[in-house]
Amino acid sequence: MRESAADASFPSTPRGPVLVCGGAGYIGSHTVRRLVERGVPCVVFDNLSTGHREAVPSEVPFVEADLGDRKAIAAALREHGIQDVIHFAAKCYVGESVTDPSKYYRENVHYTWNLLEEMREAQADRIVFSSTCATYGNPVTIPMDESHPQQPINPYGHTKLHMEHMMADYATAYGLRYCALRYFNAAGAAESGDLGEDHEPETHLIPLVLQVALGQRDQILMFGDDYDTPDGTCVRDYIHVEDLADAHMRALCQLQAGAPRLHVNLGTGTGYSVREVIEVAREVTGHPIPAVVADRRPGDPPQLVSGGTHAKDVLGWQPRKAGLRAILEDAWRFHRNHPKGYSA
Ligand code: UDP
């Protein structure tokens, strides 16, 4: 079934107030900044388990609480008169999800259920949330559009697919309106150099590569060079975090204009291998970045590349900062400015 936008003129500034769960995290903080720049009132709800208080403007109301705490969710919705939620709060490490799936079912599935229940109670009926290309699993077709079968191959992907199913069932039964944004690989940083990716522990390729360039690590491990890909290393579609922020604004606008449910890939349509990422990082940083082949990482599909034009058709969105070089240049600026992350 083809989804269509409620409003073909693609407004890109939603009405507030918006509750941003996980708004102190990597993608959440870039989205909050965009909301603030456009004058959209918002409230951040974050337990700071992985997010950073410094990443949220001081004038934005901040609720330091956990989505395990239903009373705190209810209070935030009621006190701020919320009808719209953007939900980023989740665990997102493929490797960790394989070794500790319990954390993923609790914090991704159970906590999202808490949020949906409190939204139902408060009659807040619109939600944009972070889904992922990991819900597709191994590619049957490349690139992958939204009709690609969803057969995740790791617990992270399973939990995100459960979240999508929950939203769909709540939409049918209770009239929830939702947009599942299936991100490919979020990367880059704000062009201003003051917002970026800071995870502890860091497991993502680009920040790790840049930590090598900063002299904080000796080398980067390439997880597998015997995949069925052009150079044997995994291929991913890296999408700039500022483009992701823009897509969230547009998605919420579409829900506010009446769209009932949307499932949208957010990628560029171009894949880069692990080797290519390292090579461009060498050019951008001027550092040799030693790389060593290591075993495959469990749960990694060989290739994830977004396909189709659905995001353009239903959100009027397309990436404006496509290209690995632009992504790495922005990420490098942030890492040089914050070699020890926000805490320093
Ligand atoms: N990767 C790697 N070495 C690292 C970290 C990641 O080779 O130290 C690879 C990983 O196996 C995957 C790609 O880089 O193929 C992107 O991984 P990342 O963790 O950044 O994102 P994911 O695709 O898991 O969401």
Side-chain angles (χ1 to χ4, degrees):
M1 186 182 68
R2 207 60 197 154
E3 295 161 337
S4 60
D7 182 344
S9 65
F10 303 121
S12 58
T13 302
R15 296 187 300 277
V18 181
L19 184 70
V20 186
C21 299
Y26 173 41
I27 307 169
S29 60
H30 286 79
T31 304
V32 168
R33 173 171 289 183
R34 185 65 60 98
L35 289 163
V36 170
E37 281 170 359
R38 298 273 178 86
V40 182
C42 56
V43 180
V44 168
F45 188 104
D46 198 301
N47 65 5
L48 296 181
S49 65
T50 53
H52 303 276
R53 185 68 185 86
E54 302 88 331
V56 179
S58 53
E59 70 268 25
V60 172
F62 191 95
V63 181
E64 186 177 341
D66 196 286
L67 288 175
D69 180 351
R70 283 184 56 171
K71 285 198 179 116
I73 304 171
L77 292 168
R78 193 180 53 245
E79 281 165 23
H80 296 279
I82 300 290
Q83 290 193 336
D84 297 273
V85 175
I86 306 182
H87 177 30
F88 296 98
K91 296 291 156 207
C92 66
Y93 296 129
V94 169
E96 181 187 57
S97 79
V98 175
T99 54
D100 191 6
S102 166
K103 185 191 274 185
Y104 282 70
Y105 282 91
R106 182 179 64 246
E107 299 203 21
N108 294 1
V109 180
H110 178 69
Y111 285 10
T112 296
W113 177 76
N114 283 348
L115 175 62
L116 293 185
E117 283 298 284
E118 293 305 333
M119 286 177 65
R120 194 151 75 94
E121 183 67 30
Q123 297 182 329
D125 64 353
R126 293 181 289 257
I127 183 167
V128 175
F129 84 103
S130 312
S131 188
T132 165
C133 60
T135 60
Y136 293 127
N138 284 324
V140 176
T141 55
I142 299 171
M144 309 157 110
D145 70 16
E146 290 81 357
S147 64
H148 188 283
Q150 288 182 291
Q151 296 163 336
I153 61 164
N154 53 57
Y156 168 62
H158 290 147
T159 60
K160 287 283 175 167
L161 186 56
H162 277 298
M163 289 160 70
E164 284 199 10
H165 287 161
M166 234 191 297
M167 306 267 170
D169 291 338
Y170 274 54
T172 304
Y174 312 126
L176 179 76
R177 281 185 271 162
Y178 73 92
C179 178
L181 293 174
R182 295 180 187 148
Y183 312 153
F184 282 67
N185 284 57
E191 210 173 313
S192 51
D194 58 343
L195 273 187
E197 191 167 9
D198 176 9
H199 296 117
E200 183 53 44
E202 188 53 75
T203 67
H204 290 116
L205 179 65
I206 289 179
L208 287 176
V209 165
L210 296 179
Q211 287 176 4
V212 179
L214 283 170
Q216 296 172 347
R217 292 174 189 268
D218 294 338
Q219 61 190 23
I220 184 76
L221 298 180
M222 297 188 291
F223 295 145
D225 70 344
D226 56 352
Y227 286 99
D228 183 17
T229 59
D231 68 19
T233 64
C234 286
V235 170
R236 295 288 182 272
D237 181 343
Y238 294 90
I239 173 79
H240 199 290
V241 64
E242 291 198 317
D243 283 327
L244 291 181
D246 179 43
H248 288 77
M249 307 273 288
R250 291 168 180 272
L252 193 52
C253 287
Q254 290 306 322
L255 297 181
Q256 291 181 348
R261 55 176 95 188
L262 299 167
H263 307 87
V264 184
N265 281 354
L266 296 179
T268 67
T270 302
Y272 294 95
S273 72
V274 171
R275 278 189 202 282
E276 286 173 316
V277 170
I278 297 168
E279 195 45 51
V280 176
R282 287 178 179 136
E283 289 165 24
V284 167
T285 63
H287 188 283
I289 310 183
V292 173
V293 177
D295 288 345
R296 290 182 176 197
R297 185 174 68 176
D300 268 344
Q303 230 180 118
L304 294 170
V305 179
S306 176
T309 59
H310 201 44
K312 184 162 187 284
D313 297 342
V314 303
L315 304 180
W317 176 91
Q318 46 192 347
R320 294 197 320 199
K321 302 195 90 178
L324 202 48
R325 177 171 275 276
I327 285 173
L328 277 159
E329 282 172 352
D330 287 347
W332 181 228
R333 196 174 304 114
F334 174 77
H335 277 77
R336 265 184 323 186
N337 290 350
H338 301 82
K340 298 213 164 85
Y342 287 106
S343 56

